[in-house]
Amino acid sequence: MRPPEISKEEILEVYPKVAETMADALGCDVEQVTLTVPIIEGLDAESIDFLDIVFRLERAFKVKIPRGKIVEEARGDLPEAEFEINGVVTEVGFQRLREYLTEVPVERFRTPMKAADIPRLFTPETFCKVVVRAQRAARGAGTTAPTDRRAMGS
């Protein structure tokens, strides 16, 4: 099951705060944080920076972003053993990544790809989409429970 599409308008709505948050975390100018810049190669981020970025985004947007959420959602219902074998993304896994990370240009997907290298694909737009999904989840959690109780006759 694929998550609902995210519109460009939704991305652009959160982008300024995502860019500012990333610039603060990485110690770079906000102008460098374009939607499409690769975070590792273009902004010199390291793996530890992703934890800081996620933590700061959670605070800035008042949402919860579980660690590993991007890869987990890209994998979807595909078993991990079919997504990667011996730390290398399978062809089926690669297809899932391309479908999920639509913001990443096709030429950046190179095979073979180690699962540990997936974050090299991430851009600020990737994190905008994560924030939008987290906001949707938070809104859903806040509005679904009372409706469900009424539907159950309580």
Side-chain angles (χ1 to χ4, degrees), residues 12-99:
L12 293 175
E13 188 176 310
V14 299
Y15 168 65
K17 192 184 286 190
V18 169
E20 184 180 318
T21 301
M22 292 182 113
D24 287 346
L26 299 172
C28 65
D29 293 330
V30 72
E31 292 79 24
Q32 293 177 270
V33 186
T34 64
L35 278 172
T36 58
V37 66
I39 296 172
I40 292 178
E41 284 85 9
L43 299 176
D44 297 324
E46 297 177 8
S47 59
I48 191 77
D49 292 320
F50 285 101
L51 292 173
D52 188 27
I53 289 167
V54 168
F55 175 72
R56 288 171 184 247
L57 289 173
E58 287 178 328
R59 280 197 339 226
F61 289 95
K62 296 177 179 28
V63 295
K64 185 73 181 137
I65 303 169
R67 308 304 168 251
K69 189 71 171 170
I70 298 171
V71 175
E72 178 187 312
E73 286 188 350
R75 195 175 79 221
D77 58 1
L78 189 67
E80 190 170 350
E82 291 180 39
F83 185 78
E84 66 175 91
I85 297 174
N86 296 327
V88 177
V89 179
T90 64
E91 188 54 44
V92 175
F94 219 63
Q95 182 60 36
R96 286 286 177 100
L97 284 172
R98 283 193 295 263
E99 289 171 2

Side-chain angles (χ1 to χ4, degrees), residues 1-8 10-11 73 99-100 102 129-130 132-134 136-137 139:
M1 185 171 106
R2 294 187 54 190
E5 292 297 317
I6 294 174
S7 71
K8 200 63 166 175
E10 288 175 295
I11 291 167
E73 286 188 350
E99 289 171 2
Y100 189 78
T102 56
K129 289 166 69 176
V130 166
V132 170
R133 286 187 189 100
R136 286 178 178 176
R139 279 194 303 267

